[in-house]
Amino acid sequence: MENILRAYAVLFWFNFYLRCPDFPVAEGMFPMQPDVRGAYLQVHSKVFAHWATAANRIGISTARFREACVNVRASWIGPGDLLRKCRSRASVLAACPQLDLD
């Protein structure tokens, strides 16, 4: 079950990153412009809810899933950060409504 939990957390982060609005790398991990930050948080909420629901269906609580997401993200922060390396792909799924999570 731990491998599935970690896989869901990884899928959450990549799915979120590929759907979130693009913003300048110089802003760091979060957009500074209020409208972009709002869109970013909205996408985060939607994608998190999707993957948390998937985890709930196999008996993993939302709190446990959230903790797995935090641990996965924390393990990537640094020079080899996987998500920061794929910044050029930000919002690529946003342009494909047929791939929406709903």
Side-chain angles (χ1 to χ4, degrees):
M1 187 67 74
E2 289 303 312
N3 287 339
I4 294 171
L5 176 58
R6 181 170 169 73
Y8 277 23
V10 167
L11 288 167
F12 157 70
W13 282 113
F14 276 99
N15 204 275
F16 165 60
Y17 229 67
L18 293 174
R19 291 176 187 283
C20 74
D22 196 14
F23 59 95
V25 173
E27 292 184 10
M29 293 178 65
F30 304 102
M32 301 301 259
Q33 295 178 346
D35 57 329
V36 178
R37 182 178 285 251
Y40 179 93
L41 293 172
Q42 185 177 18
V43 170
H44 183 279
S45 178
K46 181 177 182 176
V47 175
F48 182 85
H50 173 84
W51 286 104
T53 299
N56 295 160
R57 283 190 204 118
I58 61 169
I60 296 169
S61 71
T62 300
R64 190 167 166 214
F65 175 69
R66 181 177 290 111
E67 181 180 348
C69 291
V70 168
N71 291 335
V72 163
R73 187 67 188 104
S75 72
W76 290 342
I77 294 175
D81 190 326
L82 298 172
L83 291 179
R84 302 237 347 156
K85 286 184 177 182
C86 75
R87 280 297 292 266
S88 65
R89 299 281 188 209
S91 78
V92 72
L93 292 179
C96 301
Q98 70 273 23
L99 299 177
D100 202 3
L101 295 171
D102 291 339

